[in-house]
């Protein structure tokens, strides 16, 4: 779906990417997964956060890719990184070493307490759908100082309770996560194509704190598998600026050319 | 002492039915040429170990080489599902596939522990995750000094590790450059190691602190130009992203997969 | 974010009386210039950590900076004893020195565990040795899978680690080349890190897999040309073997040591 | 002490170095300490064992120094090595990884069961002499497939029982070491300036198996702190060959020049 701003139309995916990029402070050390997180992190680097440090699990530290990697280990990352270490070192010295400020996670399912499922739909032994699995997520969820979850919103993906907790959010809510005494705060926001959700104080249930421009509450309710609530003083997400959009689209354009495909 | 031999002989002598085999390479330097030789030699009942069983294991699984898979993330990076992997897990085709599932941090630590000849690895993992409930090889361990409880996993000790690297010299010293993944640890953790390379050179011209495997820890070195295609070899060729996208269609049905396998892997047997 | 500052300010702000301080460098890149500044600033009651407390710690101990020493081999490599270290242990001069003694394998593993933010390290160590009897920080730990008993030691987590490196760029990214020792682990295990370098350059021209410390894990970078003398800096200057031999005479008596210290370290204070 | 052969005189230290070098097989992976072990290992490499692999604890693997290092981490080692890894990796992947065939150890004291003391003379808490300490020795003694001990022989250094076991030989002899189920066999020989001792079967007490040319039993007895025994069928150590001596002396000469001192 696209809508018209004073100057240019943008897609809800672009809104989601821009909203995610805006959450990244300059100089933050960011553990980046492939796909939308990588796009958002590089958009941040090319706009308001030039000194952001991007770490990819394949080994690059301080990567500054000119085009978006299609895989987590593209040569472009090695070429532009300050250094490239082994994958074991990334997980041991850098993630477990508590040097990551922000970890970006996607999900196949996310629930009202920010728990993530990327393992199976249905029972573990006899899955209806076998998903890719954990990857780096369980430890990113526990060890990054903050986690941002980014994915498109639908009743299928936003469920009251995930079939399988691959990576912990606030578990059953309230103090449940705090009991684990983890270095990481857990997911501080879920950023979707419709809105931004944040954990409500005390309950740690995710509620809508920002509605993207032009999105109705009804639309969000239809796309959520639990009775979603809207925070008092909920704001509207400012639309993407011309600069954000042009940098994002240039990035996609350069990427399409480099990867020899039309996006 | 690394022997420089042809790939067919190396696979025949180093990889046997029922072996625990790790073919590693983290999106970079994935040893496809070696995997195709394993398929051609019809190895069976392998326990395949790999952090990211992407296309290479989709092919080995679809071809019926695997009995068990030890992994941490199974997908087609940036594209979607591995259809042959899912068909095996969801419908036992071409044969049932046992799955032992870990996280990246877990497997990376398990390879390090294997390389260090330790029986287990200690790390901070799986907090709040359901995975330990379904995997008995993830257990708690207490710090003898602070009493803090951490996570332990058994070290990974493959019978054979297979990797692809850019270069080897005539003695069989192997140089890996760029994204290193877990290849060095996977080789040092294994009983035997098979390395395919883009080329053999007189002088590796390696930095003193480069990632180099001495010839005496490698069982065999085989020349396999473009042996990592469709993945890439830093300094030699780029990742063939089109093929990763095409794979989604190729692997979607059993028939289209079998046709691809016949034409692109098996028929080379004649050659 | 590494600040590029002068050595005097860096030592004043990062190293305090009573700190646990590791000055590392395994015969290569030993941070003598920084140690001399610590002596000039009269730091006291330091717990000094170092695998090989050679001349650099003989000087710090003789100057009265240390209360405790954690080490694994204390000698003048290829020459003989460390007379100031022995005088402190054998005769409490200039003050008593507590000694906590490990092996190289133990300390190297303890730094790795520190860098990995683990409370302890597991290794195969000390079989049949008397050392564990005299060091309560060496304990058994059992494998949760095999029951095998291994050795555990607490991780090393210095308040400050001090190293010398060849180069840094203007952001403070640090490049180490040649013999790497345990410097990277010692820096990552510490709360604060002070790095002296031979020079600041615009471009480190580092191989992608070189040993590089990103600027954001380093507290301060100080330019200290020949800052590793009498040890060496690979690519810059050779080891001053004559000085190591001369040290045996210089350090043999308290008087000759004090004279050397006054003339070669303390008087620079005026400068 | 020097003696005259048919052609050239040699010192007992040269005899010791040559005898140690001869124990190293070609292609052996050798963990080398500084001083005499390093001299012997490089003599072997320059004579009968060109493919020997020398590993130094500072990080060099496959070092081929043209001049002898005065320190365990000389630049010459980095320049001539196949690769240089971190010191932690040397102890974790290479020594503990059971990749070392022969470990060379020196000693301040060695006893009749090949136990080594490099820690203290006298009681540990109030030492008469504080020695350098363990270094890499305890783990080399346990993990190298074989250990060679090399040192000059005297009543002071060859004692019935060491004051402190820094690195294990056969402990109290017999099956005592076997009970520890170590990967390493332990010390297979003690090579001195007078003779070569090897552990006697069953008791694992060191007895003289080779007497260096021109050395008397009485001389060995005077230089040993326990009632040393001589193996049946004890042989005489062949004198250094002209080639061994000339290579060894060239090596020392090059070293003296390079290190700017007369040896």
């Amino acid at each position: 779906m696209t809508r018209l701003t004073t100057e240019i139309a943008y897609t809800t995916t672009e809104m989601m990417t821009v909203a995610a990029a805006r959450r990244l402070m300059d100089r933050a050390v960011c553990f980046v997964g492939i796909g939308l997180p990588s796009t958002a992190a590089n958009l941040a680097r090319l706009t308001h956060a030039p000194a952001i440090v991007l770490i990819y699990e394949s080994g690059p530290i301080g990567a500054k890719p000119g085009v978006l990697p299609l895989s987590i280990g593209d040569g472009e990352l090695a070429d532009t990184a300050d250094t490239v270490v082994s994958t074991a070192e990334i997980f041991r010295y850098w993630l477990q070493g508590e040097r990551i400020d922000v970890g970006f996670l996607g999900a196949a399912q996310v629930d009202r307490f920010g728990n993530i499922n990327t393992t199976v739909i249905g029972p573990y032994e006899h899955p209806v759908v076998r998903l890719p699995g954990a990857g780096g997520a369980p430890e990113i969820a526990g060890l990054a100082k903050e986690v941002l979850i980014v994915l498109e919103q639908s009743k299928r993906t936003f469920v009251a309770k995930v079939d399988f907790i691959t990576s912990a959010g606030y578990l059953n809510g309230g103090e449940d996560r705090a009991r684990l005494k983890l270095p990481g705060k857990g997911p501080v926001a879920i950023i979707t194509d419709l809105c931004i959700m944040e954990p409500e104080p005390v309950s740690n249930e995710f509620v809508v704190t920002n509605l993207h421009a032009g999105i109705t509450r009804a639309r969000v309710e239809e796309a959520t598998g639990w009775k979603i609530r809207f925070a008092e003083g909920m704001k509207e997400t400012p639309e993407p600026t011309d600069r954000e959009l042009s940098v994002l689209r240039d990035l996609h354009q350069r990427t399409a050319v480099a990867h020899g495909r039309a996006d | 002492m690394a022997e420089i031999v042809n790939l067919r002989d190396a696979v025949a002598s180093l990889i046997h039915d029922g072996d625990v085999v790790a073919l590693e390479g983290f999106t970079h330097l994935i040893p496809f040429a070696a995997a195709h030789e394993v398929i051609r030699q019809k190895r069976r009942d392998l326990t395949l170990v790999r952090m990211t069983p992407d296309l290479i294991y989709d092919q080995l699984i679809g071809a019926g080489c695997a009995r068990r898979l030890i992994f941490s993330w199974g997908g087609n990076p940036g594209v979607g599902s591995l259809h042959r992997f899912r068909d095996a897990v969801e419908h036992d085709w071409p044969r049932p596939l046992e799955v032992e599932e870990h996280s990246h941090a877990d497997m990376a630590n398990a390879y390090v522990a294997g390389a260090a000849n330790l029986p287990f690895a200690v790390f901070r993992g799986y907090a709040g995750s359901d995975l330990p409930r379904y995997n008995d090889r993830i257990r708690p361990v207490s710090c003898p000094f602070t009493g803090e409880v951490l996570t332990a996993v058994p070290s990974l000790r493959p019978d054979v590790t297979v990797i692809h690297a850019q270069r080897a010299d005539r003695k069989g010293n192997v140089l890996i450059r760029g994204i290193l993944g877990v290849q060095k640890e996977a080789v040092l953790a294994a009983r035997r190691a098979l390395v395919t390379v883009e080329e053999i050179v007189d002088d590796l011209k390696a930095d003193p602190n480069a990632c180099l495997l001495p010839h005496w820890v490698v069982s065999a070195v085989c020349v396999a130009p473009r042996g990592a295609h469709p993945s890439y070899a830093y300094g030699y060729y780029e990742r063939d992203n089109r093929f990763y996208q095409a794979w989604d269609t190729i692997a979607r049905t059993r028939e289209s997969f079998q046709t691809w396998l016949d034409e692109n892997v098996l028929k080379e047997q004649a050659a």
Side-chain angles (χ1 to χ4, degrees), chain A, chain B:
Chain A
M1 162 267 203
T2 73
R3 66 190 296 274
L4 204 64
T5 73
T6 47
E7 282 102 8
I8 40 173
Y10 59 90
T11 68
T12 50
T13 304
E14 285 174 329
M15 179 74 254
M16 169 164 59
T17 308
V18 167
R22 289 172 180 165
R23 301 287 303 217
L24 300 175
M25 315 272 288
D26 198 16
R27 302 185 175 284
V29 178
C30 194
F31 198 101
V32 182
I34 213 58
L36 203 139
S38 172
T39 310
N42 281 289
L43 175 59
R45 184 176 58 83
L46 296 169
T47 53
H48 66 281
I52 193 169
V53 177
L54 305 188
I55 296 186
Y56 290 76
E57 63 192 7
S58 59
I61 295 175
K64 305 160 204 71
V67 304
L68 295 171
L70 185 59
S71 89
I72 197 79
D74 276 16
E76 175 76 5
L77 299 174
D79 281 329
T80 62
D82 292 328
T83 186
V84 179
V85 301
S86 74
T87 297
E89 185 182 315
I90 287 285
F91 284 102
R92 288 158 55 82
Y93 292 177
W94 302 89
L95 179 58
Q96 187 170 274
E98 293 182 28
R99 297 190 177 273
I100 307 300
D101 297 318
V102 183
F104 252 120
L105 295 175
Q109 285 186 328
V110 62
D111 70 19
R112 52 203 279 257
F113 295 118
N115 301 302
I116 287 174
N117 176 17
T118 55
T119 304
V120 287
I121 306 295
Y124 185 79
E125 286 84 355
H126 304 93
V128 178
V129 181
R130 172 68 238 196
L131 300 166
E139 286 72 31
I140 295 168
L143 296 165
K145 295 195 184 77
E146 290 188 354
V147 167
L148 295 176
I149 300 171
V150 189
L151 78 163
E152 300 210 332
Q153 193 164 351
S154 78
K155 267 203 156 55
R156 194 173 48 74
T157 53
F158 281 68
V159 297
K161 197 162 184 13
V162 289
D163 296 20
F164 187 99
I165 297 181
T166 310
S167 306
Y170 299 100
L171 300 169
N172 296 310
E175 291 304 293
D176 215 21
R177 181 191 174 97
R179 281 186 210 99
L180 298 178
K181 297 200 173 26
L182 295 170
K185 254 189 234 170
V188 295
I190 304 173
I191 298 156
T192 82
D193 51 332
L194 304 181
C195 65
I196 300 173
M197 304 179 184
E198 295 179 12
E200 179 183 56
V202 185
S203 75
N204 280 320
E205 175 176 329
F206 277 82
V207 299
V208 178
T209 54
N210 290 70
L211 212 48
H212 295 338
I215 304 296
T216 62
R217 294 181 176 221
R219 181 105 186 280
V220 173
E221 286 161 345
E222 289 156 22
T224 313
W226 71 85
K227 198 175 170 344
I228 183 72
R229 292 183 290 116
F230 299 84
E232 277 180 38
M234 176 179 72
K235 299 189 197 61
E236 177 178 90
T237 317
E239 299 189 325
T241 65
D242 297 357
R243 171 124 193 282
E244 288 168 328
L245 280 179
S246 58
V247 171
L248 175 59
R249 290 169 181 182
D250 291 351
L251 188 57
H252 279 305
Q253 185 50 39
R254 284 201 303 279
T255 303
V257 172
H259 291 162
R261 63 198 167 89
D263 267 346
Chain B
M1 310 303 119
E3 268 189 291
I4 297 174
V5 296
N6 75 64
L7 183 53
R8 189 175 299 178
D9 297 345
V11 167
S13 65
L14 295 175
I15 305 179
H16 315 118
D17 289 354
D19 276 353
V20 177
V21 185
L23 294 98
E24 279 292 355
F26 204 95
T27 77
H28 178 215
L29 296 172
I30 301 175
F32 277 94
H36 292 171
E37 184 55 34
V38 170
I39 291 171
R40 282 192 290 273
Q41 294 191 21
K42 301 202 162 30
R43 287 288 170 282
R44 290 293 178 267
D45 300 318
L46 300 177
T47 292
L48 293 176
V49 184
R50 179 171 165 79
M51 289 176 68
T52 54
D54 44 21
L55 276 52
I56 188 172
Y57 277 19
D58 216 29
Q59 292 169 8
L60 284 159
I61 290 165
C65 302
R67 183 181 62 72
R68 180 178 179 78
L69 175 69
I70 299 174
F71 79 110
S72 45
W73 190 87
N76 181 346
V79 178
S81 290
L82 296 175
H83 302 295
R84 296 299 93 224
F85 162 60
R86 284 184 55 181
D87 201 14
V89 174
E90 295 167 16
H91 312 107
D92 294 347
W93 192 93
R95 58 191 60 201
L97 182 71
E98 294 168 28
V99 162
E100 178 183 322
E101 194 165 0
H102 300 261
S103 70
H104 279 354
D106 170 336
M107 286 189 76
N109 276 286
Y111 274 127
V112 168
N117 188 33
L118 292 170
F120 70 109
V122 177
F123 70 111
R124 301 179 182 275
Y126 294 114
S129 171
D130 287 338
L131 274 160
R133 286 205 220 143
Y134 297 92
N135 185 342
D136 176 47
R137 292 162 66 82
I138 302 167
R139 298 184 187 173
V141 61
S142 299
C143 173
F145 303 93
T146 64
E148 187 183 356
V149 177
L150 295 102
T151 302
V153 290
S155 58
L156 280 166
R157 303 305 298 265
D159 295 311
V160 199
T161 287
V162 179
I163 66 167
H164 185 74
Q166 282 102 335
R167 288 191 279 291
D169 65 20
R170 304 199 182 282
K171 280 187 186 165
N173 295 303
V174 172
L175 178 67
I176 307 173
R177 239 180 122 248
I179 303 285
L180 304 175
V182 291
Q183 284 99 302
K184 180 175 181 174
E185 284 74 18
V187 164
L188 294 178
R191 285 167 189 73
R192 303 184 293 279
L194 192 168
V195 182
T196 56
V197 295
E198 288 298 318
E199 58 176 339
I200 303 279
V201 296
D202 293 323
D203 178 357
L204 290 171
K205 297 195 176 58
D207 186 81
N209 306 122
C211 181
L212 185 136
L213 293 166
H215 60 84
W216 47 278
V217 302
V218 176
S219 315
V221 172
C222 310
V223 181
R226 294 189 60 79
H229 176 273
S231 79
Y232 74 106
Y234 186 65
Y236 286 78
Y237 46 89
E238 298 266 300
R239 189 170 190 266
D240 183 353
N241 293 313
R242 279 212 173 85
F243 185 86
Y244 279 81
Q245 289 163 323
W247 185 255
D248 193 60
T249 315
I250 295 167
R252 195 170 287 274
T253 74
R254 297 170 184 178
E255 299 63 33
S256 56
F257 167 73
Q258 194 57 54
T259 307
W260 177 88
L261 198 66
D262 292 339
E263 288 171 7
N264 298 277
V265 178
L266 299 174
K267 82 156 185 249
E268 284 183 37
Q269 200 158 22

